């Protein structure tokens, strides 16, 4: 009764933390019994619990004893299995080094014990109440489809892809894909190719140098020395040169902006193609591994948590002949909805 009285006096504060490649997003909701009375979202240029991040979170949690801090599991060693029977889990994967939990007596999600412990230690200054699996978010976000439709469901994050195939709420297959690991492997191959190319270029340069060309350069420099004093010319053309310098600065700024835009577009293209390749490989695994109850997949629902380009949808439709539906997801807000369902 006393607890109920305190709850009536204080609001509930839900803090939701998502760590990305180079930033940490924090979404906070303050809720009364009547609903949400305030929400705020901030992004911090860090992947650790910095003093600034702690101060920001504490500025909200100090207002109430009823605060709940949620984290999205970013362990690479996590996934989901199509059973809750303990004697069947090992048939799909050895999860002796993992924590696992059954979802609705239908399927199991798991994560690395060591990564979970490290996560809790990293955030011990503020405490962690809930750690959510990406597969829980995926299931919650597409709950209306998963219960009725046989399809592949994908959550796209900054560094990961969480993929699951459901048939009327029954999990058939799931895989958590680490884009960073895949990127590192590709970069090693590209680096070795670049080294070979550099050796060839150096050899070509050495062969193309002509000593006679050096004499020509010396002649040109002598002609410039003989040209004389050009101070008068400088004074006459000051205004023109200033104008030209200004135009040049503007052109350089425009060129830099255009280059940055092209680099971003190229990066987006490369990442979406990488995502497509990982999805294609994973689906092939589902079809060919006898462990799984393989069924032909025609439809894909994507929860887009990063803002993918239209290229990913096009790849899946044109290369794999899938029907693709894309939904934007705010991962922090989706975590908050899950946290509220757990607490309230």
């Amino acid at each position: 009764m006393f607890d109920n009285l305190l709850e009536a006096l204080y609001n509930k504060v839900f803090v939701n933390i998502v760590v990305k490649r180079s930033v940490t997003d924090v979404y906070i909701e303050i809720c009364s019994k009547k609903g949400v009375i305030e929400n705020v979202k901030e992004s911090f240029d860090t992947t650790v619990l910095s003093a600034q991040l702690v101060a920001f979170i504490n500025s909200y949690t100090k207002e109430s004893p009823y605060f709940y801090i949620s984290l999205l599991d970013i362990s690479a060693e996590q996934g989901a299995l199509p059973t809750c029977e303990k004697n069947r889990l090992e048939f799909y994967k050895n999860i002796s080094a993992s924590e696992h939990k059954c979802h609705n007596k239908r399927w199991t999600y798991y994560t690395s014990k060591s990564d979970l412990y490290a996560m809790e230690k990293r955030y011990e200054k503020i405490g962690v109440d809930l750690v959510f699996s990406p597969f829980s978010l995926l299931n919650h976000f597409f709950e209306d489809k998963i219960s009725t439709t046989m399809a592949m469901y994908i959550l796209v994050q900054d560094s990961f892809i969480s993929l699951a195939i459901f048939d009327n709420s029954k999990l058939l297959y799931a895989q958590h894909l680490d884009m960073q690991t895949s990127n590192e492997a590709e970069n090693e191959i590209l680096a070795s190719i670049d080294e070979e190319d550099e050796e060839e270029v150096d050899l070509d340069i050495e062969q193309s140098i002509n000593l006679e060309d050096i004499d020509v350069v010396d002649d040109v420099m002598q002609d410039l020395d003989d040209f004389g004093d050009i101070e008068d010319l400088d004074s006459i053309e000051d205004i023109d040169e200033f104008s030209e310098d200004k135009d040049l600065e503007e052109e350089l700024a425009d060129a830099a902006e255009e280059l940055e835009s092209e680099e971003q577009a190229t990066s987006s293209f490369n990442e979406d193609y990488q995502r497509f390749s990982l999805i294609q490989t994973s689906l092939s695994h589902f079809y060919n591994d006898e462990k799984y109850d393989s069924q032909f997949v025609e439809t894909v629902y994507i929860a887009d948590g990063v803002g993918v380009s239209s290229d990913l949808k096009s790849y899946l439709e044109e290369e794999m002949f899938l029907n693709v539906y894309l939904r934007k997801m705010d991962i922090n807000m989706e975590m908050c909805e899950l946290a509220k369902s757990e607490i309230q």
Side-chain angles (χ1 to χ4, degrees), residues 213-319:
D213 292 340
I214 297 175
D215 294 336
V216 172
V217 173
D218 289 340
D219 292 341
V220 172
M221 293 303 295
Q222 182 63 43
D223 289 342
L224 286 174
D225 290 337
D226 294 340
F227 189 74
D229 191 0
I230 59 172
E231 285 184 2
D232 292 338
L233 290 175
D234 285 343
S235 63
I236 295 171
E237 297 178 357
D238 273 349
I239 297 175
D240 289 339
E241 287 181 0
F242 176 78
S243 176
E244 288 172 4
D245 288 344
K246 186 176 180 182
D247 290 342
L248 181 60
E249 287 177 5
E250 290 176 353
E251 288 177 8
L252 289 172
D254 291 342
E257 186 176 339
E258 185 177 345
L259 180 60
E260 184 179 356
S261 178
E262 289 176 357
E263 287 176 348
Q264 290 175 350
T266 301
S267 175
S268 176
F269 170 81
N270 290 338
E271 288 195 344
D272 280 341
Y273 188 79
Q274 184 187 1
R275 291 181 180 112
F276 160 71
S277 298
L278 289 171
I279 292 167
Q280 187 180 45
T281 302
S282 186
L283 188 57
S284 176
H285 183 216
F286 169 63
Y287 286 146
N288 294 295
D289 195 325
E290 295 180 356
K291 293 178 183 176
Y292 301 102
D293 181 15
S294 299
Q295 298 183 37
F296 184 66
V297 176
E298 296 181 349
T299 305
V300 179
Y301 291 95
I302 298 176
D304 176 14
V306 295
V308 298
S309 71
S310 59
D311 292 329
L312 178 59
K313 186 174 185 290
S314 298
Y315 293 144
L316 294 171
E317 289 177 337
E318 295 171 11
E319 301 294 331

Side-chain angles (χ1 to χ4, degrees), residues 319-334:
E319 301 294 331
M320 299 177 67
F321 309 105
L322 296 165
N323 302 314
V324 182
Y325 301 92
L326 200 66
R327 285 189 194 176
K328 295 288 184 182
M329 178 201 277
D330 187 312
I331 296 176
N332 292 77
M333 292 182 69
E334 194 67 21

Side-chain angles (χ1 to χ4, degrees), residues 20 57 71 80 99 120 150:
K20 298 182 177 179
I57 292 171
L71 284 174
E99 291 284 353
E120 290 173 347
M150 192 280 172

Side-chain angles (χ1 to χ4, degrees), residues 164-180:
I165 299 173
F166 283 95
D167 182 12
N168 298 316
S169 294
K170 179 184 177 183
L171 179 67
L172 302 180
Y173 174 79
Q175 193 172 8
H176 188 65
L177 307 167
D178 186 350
M179 287 184 62
Q180 197 67 28

Side-chain angles (χ1 to χ4, degrees), residues 34-176:
K34 295 181 179 179
V36 179
I37 60 175
E38 184 182 353
N39 62 64
V40 61
K41 186 174 183 179
E42 289 287 343
S43 186
F44 297 85
D45 294 327
T46 179
T47 57
V48 298
L49 192 63
S50 65
Q52 185 184 13
L53 189 52
V54 171
F56 174 74
I57 292 171
N58 286 345
S59 67
Y60 288 91
T61 58
K62 70 181 181 181
E63 300 296 329
S64 171
Y66 296 99
F67 62 86
Y68 309 93
I69 297 178
S70 302
L71 284 174
L72 179 64
D73 188 0
I74 58 171
S75 171
E77 300 298 322
Q78 62 173 302
L81 303 174
T83 183
C84 279
E85 298 177 24
K86 290 184 179 180
N87 60 343
R88 290 280 296 166
L89 291 174
E90 296 298 320
F91 173 75
Y92 295 102
K93 186 175 179 64
N94 180 359
I95 57 171
S96 58
S98 303
E99 291 284 353
H100 63 276
K101 187 174 180 180
C102 178
H103 180 85
N104 288 343
K105 299 181 180 179
R106 287 179 173 270
W107 51 275
T108 299
Y109 56 91
Y110 64 89
T111 190
S112 164
K113 287 180 181 178
S114 58
D115 288 347
L116 191 60
Y117 175 75
M119 198 184 308
E120 290 173 347
K121 289 290 290 181
R122 191 179 303 128
Y123 291 91
E124 64 182 351
K125 286 185 179 179
I126 57 173
V128 176
D129 300 291
L130 300 163
V131 178
F132 287 112
S133 164
F135 294 98
S136 295
L137 265 67
L138 192 61
N139 183 79
H140 185 264
F141 190 68
F142 285 121
E143 190 173 10
D144 59 325
K145 300 296 181 185
I146 285 174
S147 60
T148 59
T149 308
M150 192 280 172
M152 177 164 59
Y153 301 86
I154 301 171
L155 171 59
V156 178
Q157 300 177 59
D158 199 32
S159 299
F160 300 101
I161 298 171
S162 302
L163 178 153
I165 299 173
F166 283 95
D167 182 12
N168 298 316
S169 294
K170 179 184 177 183
L171 179 67
L172 302 180
Y173 174 79
Q175 193 172 8
H176 188 65

Side-chain angles (χ1 to χ4, degrees), residues 180 182-192 194:
Q180 197 67 28
S182 176
N183 252 336
E184 289 170 0
E186 289 180 3
N187 289 339
E188 287 179 6
I189 295 171
L190 290 173
S192 64
D194 289 342

